[in-house]
Amino acid sequence: MKKLIFIPYQDIFDFSNTGILTREYSILKFFMDNGIEDVLFISKPRTILDKKNFKDINFPKESIEYAVYKKIMQSKKIRYETAITLSLFTKKRSWWIEGYEQVIEKIKKMDLDYKNTIVYSNNPFSYKLFYFLKNKGATIYFDMMDNLALHPSLSKQEQESANYCYRESFTISDFCTCNSQAISKYCEENFSRHPAVVKNGVFPIKTKFDIVDNNIKEKLDKLDYFNEKYKLSMGYIGKLGLRLDHELIENIVVENPNILFVFVGPHLSGQRNKKLEILFEKYENLLSLGSIPSAYINHFLNKFSVLMIPHSVGSYENGGDPLKLYQYLNTQKPIISTGIEGVNEFENIITISNDISDWNRFIAENLVNNTKPYNSPESIYWHHRLAPVSKFLKMEEKGFE
């Protein structure tokens, strides 16, 4: 039986604090479903300034999130913590490189069967850890999620460091993937590697489960109250930052006072969209409900009549792999999006336009239920998305031996 060393960018403390099943943990669930039981979790290096405590979350036991949470609780975990280091201020994320070197010292004290171990990571700053594990005989699988070398939330120094770390990660990896064609092209041009494109995905909606979180119950009750006051509701689920087109949002809100527009997700502290935040205070038919654990995404999506992605085109785009679109398609509800990268894959199902008049027309059509039903595309599901990984790891039929 193969073992897994799991080195996620969003570590177990991020997962326990947000309750959000990010790409890393969806891939972890895929590993679990294909026979891997023994997992070692390695968290990001932290100081007393950014230290996070592991929170107990009351996930519904039928949810994917609960299965992942249970695996974390049952498994061995490593993290490196220190007091205050100057590198945290001068290098920011780049100081993780030093921190992961300290993790190597912790691993040396463990009795691991390296030759029967797969290492998964989407954190390029841990590349020195990859070298250590590869030299011991482990198989390295590196997943380039987004592109930190271009990401607007990182400083120029961090971006340059990320680019160097990507080069090292691709050099040592036995297998590599990325989440969009744009990133694959970037890798070819900058690192002479051609990673398999594994876009984000979703799991099929199989089980309806009870809500065990009182905060979620309160938010759903609030949404029900507002829904009763309007003819139709348009929903958005995702992080609220600068990528949202505040001008488009204000226009459709003003032009459609009988429609409720709802945004579910946290406001990004590093990319605060202050112009958008003002709109929530200005218009009665515009509602922000804050963040929710991903286990309850479908509870909220089911409350909306139609779903939207009002993102700015060009500005603050990153990667061309909109996870929320796949979550939306999983509900079989009408969808409209601006023409951001990645949405054209489903242009025969959803409405794509940057024109405000098209958005208002789409809303008017849905007021009279003039949209065609569709089946959720098979290609949005993780078992389809991860076919290249399955092939590489020879898991198609019998799992790991």
Side-chain angles (χ1 to χ4, degrees):
M1 182 69 70
K2 287 283 188 181
K3 305 180 189 304
L4 175 67
I5 296 179
F6 191 68
I7 315 171
Y9 186 86
Q10 300 291 339
D11 65 16
I12 60 173
F13 299 96
D14 295 318
F15 175 73
S16 74
N17 278 260
T18 64
I20 296 177
L21 191 79
T22 51
R23 175 183 176 89
E24 306 97 315
Y25 295 96
S26 295
I27 294 177
L28 171 63
K29 182 59 168 59
F30 183 80
F31 282 131
M32 291 163 56
D33 291 343
N34 284 276
I36 285 189
E37 298 177 1
D38 191 347
V39 184
L40 171 62
F41 290 89
I42 298 180
S43 296
K44 289 183 293 193
R46 295 185 187 274
T47 71
I48 59 174
L49 294 179
D50 63 346
K51 178 180 177 180
K52 289 184 179 181
N53 295 316
F54 194 83
K55 291 184 178 180
D56 292 328
I57 299 181
N58 192 17
F59 286 121
K61 291 186 177 181
E62 302 88 349
S63 67
I64 301 290
E65 287 80 359
Y66 177 77
V68 169
Y69 177 77
K70 186 177 179 181
K71 175 59 65 177
I72 293 172
M73 297 301 292
Q74 294 172 341
S75 301
K76 294 180 181 178
K77 296 170 275 288
I78 294 178
R79 64 172 172 175
Y80 170 69
E81 291 182 353
T82 186
I84 298 175
T85 173
L86 181 61
S87 296
L88 176 64
F89 302 100
T90 59
K91 299 180 180 179
K92 296 185 178 180
R93 291 172 180 84
S94 301
W95 95 266
W96 293 346
I97 299 171
E98 303 168 19
Y100 280 117
E101 288 187 280
Q102 299 303 315
V103 171
I104 292 174
E105 298 306 311
K106 290 177 177 283
I107 292 179
K108 287 179 179 179
K109 299 176 183 178
M110 304 178 71
D111 182 20
L112 298 177
D113 182 5
Y114 294 102
K115 291 184 178 180
N116 285 306
T117 297
I118 295 169
V119 178
Y120 167 85
S121 181
N122 61 349
N123 191 337
F125 298 106
S126 61
Y127 76 88
K128 289 187 177 181
L129 189 50
F130 305 160
Y131 273 99
F132 171 79
L133 295 168
K134 177 66 176 287
N135 289 335
K136 290 290 186 179
T139 299
I140 310 298
Y141 166 25
F142 181 68
D143 179 35
M144 187 170 174
M145 173 203 68
D146 295 332
N147 187 350
L148 300 179
L150 300 176
H151 202 286
S153 68
L154 274 67
S155 67
K156 183 174 179 57
Q157 186 274 334
E158 288 177 295
Q159 291 174 340
E160 292 174 351
S161 178
N163 195 70
Y164 175 82
C165 293
Y166 279 133
R167 184 181 303 279
E168 295 297 312
S169 298
F170 282 119
T171 298
I172 194 64
S173 61
D174 297 287
F175 180 66
C176 50
T177 58
C178 65
N179 68 325
S180 74
Q181 293 291 348
I183 292 178
S184 180
K185 182 179 179 181
Y186 182 91
C187 293
E188 282 191 85
E189 294 175 348
N190 291 274
F191 314 126
S192 299
R193 287 295 296 265
H194 184 66
V197 175
V198 174
K199 288 190 172 185
N200 281 314
V202 292
F203 293 97
I205 302 173
K206 291 184 177 180
T207 307
K208 290 186 177 181
F209 43 80
D210 294 332
I211 299 169
V212 295
D213 187 322
N214 288 331
N215 183 47
I216 295 299
K217 291 179 181 178
E218 292 175 2
K219 289 183 178 183
L220 286 169
D221 287 343
K222 182 177 182 179
L223 181 53
D224 285 339
Y225 169 77
F226 277 90
N227 264 336
E228 291 179 0
K229 299 169 64 176
Y230 295 89
K231 291 183 178 181
L232 181 145
S233 60
M234 290 189 71
Y236 174 91
I237 287 188
K239 296 175 182 177
L240 311 187
L242 293 172
R243 64 182 175 177
L244 283 162
D245 186 339
H246 68 276
E247 292 182 354
L248 169 61
I249 293 169
E250 182 169 25
N251 185 281
I252 59 176
V253 167
V254 170
E255 291 295 318
N256 300 277
N258 58 341
I259 307 298
L260 176 66
F261 298 87
V262 184
F263 288 76
V264 181
H267 290 269
L268 289 175
S269 57
Q271 294 186 49
R272 284 189 61 187
N273 193 331
K274 295 181 180 179
K275 293 181 179 179
L276 175 65
E277 292 175 16
I278 291 173
L279 300 184
F280 288 114
E281 300 175 2
K282 187 175 181 181
Y283 298 106
E284 292 184 358
N285 62 327
L286 183 59
L287 180 66
S288 175
L289 290 177
S291 61
I292 60 170
S294 56
Y296 296 107
I297 283 177
N298 289 314
H299 287 75
F300 284 81
L301 292 179
N302 287 337
K303 297 285 185 180
F304 304 130
S305 312
V306 293
L307 304 168
M308 59 179 169
I309 306 178
H311 285 189
S312 297
V313 176
S315 301
Y316 299 99
E317 282 193 65
N318 186 53
D321 185 30
L323 173 59
K324 62 180 54 58
L325 174 58
Y326 317 139
Q327 294 167 336
Y328 291 0
L329 289 165
N330 212 12
T331 69
Q332 302 177 359
K333 289 179 178 285
I335 302 166
I336 186 169
S337 173
T338 51
I340 57 174
E341 280 191 77
V343 298
N344 283 342
E345 180 182 359
F346 303 103
E347 61 185 354
N348 61 324
I349 297 177
I350 71 173
T351 299
I352 304 171
S353 179
N354 303 328
D355 192 324
I356 292 174
S357 62
D358 288 337
W359 278 69
N360 287 322
R361 189 179 303 111
F362 173 85
I363 294 170
E365 289 174 353
N366 278 278
L367 278 173
V368 294
N369 297 317
N370 197 29
T371 57
K372 297 179 181 180
Y374 62 89
N375 294 321
S376 298
E378 186 68 16
S379 63
I380 67 173
Y381 296 117
W382 275 119
H383 68 265
H384 178 91
R385 297 294 204 199
L386 288 166
V389 183
S390 182
K391 182 178 180 181
F392 172 72
L393 299 174
K394 298 179 181 178
M395 298 189 302
E396 287 93 337
E397 296 180 0
K398 54 185 177 179
F400 295 108
E401 296 181 348

